[in-house]
Amino acid sequence: MDALVALLCRLPGIGPRSAQRIGYELLVRKRALMPQLAEALQHANSMVRLCDRCNNLSEAPLCKVCGSDRRDRSILCVVESPADLRAIEDTGAFKGEFFVLMGHLSPLDGIGPEALHIDRLIPRMAETQLREVVLATNSTMEGR
């Protein structure tokens, strides 16, 4: 139980009390869920990768967004995380393409431009059909 709680605490947004509640819930009431959870984690670990074009999470070289021929290739939306991409996609309002930075600048945490895949973003921005880039980063100091 201690090892499970310690691992759960390492996840964002889960503190010691939440980790303990989740651990007890899994061990006492949802024990049948544990093998499925373990299998899903192993599958994600071995199969999920970054999209070659936009850095979104994908099991294929191109994610579903980049693989679609229905996207407006003249608009590029730059977001911080795959969760941000999903939130925008769920609205159904944006039909352009995406680029996922996989974080934000945070010098105190040792995260500089090299960690944000800027080297992959620059060629995307140089594509001839691109006419608009939308920066949809968080409205925090780091996002700006």
Side-chain angles (χ1 to χ4, degrees):
M1 179 67 180
D2 291 340
L4 177 60
V5 169
L7 285 171
L8 290 169
C9 280
R10 294 175 65 182
L11 297 172
I14 299 180
R17 291 187 64 182
S18 294
Q20 194 171 45
R21 280 194 303 271
I22 293 167
Y24 281 127
E25 186 70 19
L26 285 169
L27 290 169
V28 175
R29 293 190 186 100
K30 304 286 185 185
R31 198 167 194 103
L33 185 65
M34 290 180 73
Q36 296 168 348
L37 184 59
E39 185 179 330
L41 287 169
Q42 286 181 326
H43 178 80
N45 184 49
S46 64
M47 300 301 293
V48 176
R49 56 183 300 225
L50 298 181
C51 172
D52 290 343
R53 185 159 171 79
C54 76
N55 286 339
N56 190 18
L57 298 175
S58 176
E59 289 187 24
L62 291 180
C63 69
K64 290 179 183 177
V65 175
C66 290
S68 172
D69 58 353
R70 295 181 159 182
R71 306 306 293 204
D72 182 350
R73 305 224 185 274
S74 69
I75 304 171
L76 180 66
C77 181
V78 180
V79 296
E80 289 183 17
S81 72
D84 297 327
L85 183 152
R86 169 59 63 202
I88 293 171
E89 273 297 284
D90 285 348
T91 69
F94 182 74
K95 299 300 180 195
E97 292 191 321
F98 290 93
F99 187 85
V100 181
L101 295 172
M102 288 303 202
H104 56 261
L105 290 175
S106 183
L108 294 176
D109 296 323
I111 300 173
E114 66 284 346
L116 302 181
H117 305 280
I118 302 298
D119 58 324
R120 293 184 60 204
L121 175 59
I122 292 171
R124 287 287 307 274
M125 292 175 60
E127 293 176 1
T128 56
Q129 74 269 24
L130 191 62
R131 63 177 172 76
E132 182 179 358
V133 175
V134 178
L135 296 176
T137 56
N138 294 327
S139 61
T140 60
M141 181 64 92
E142 293 88 356
R144 290 184 207 147

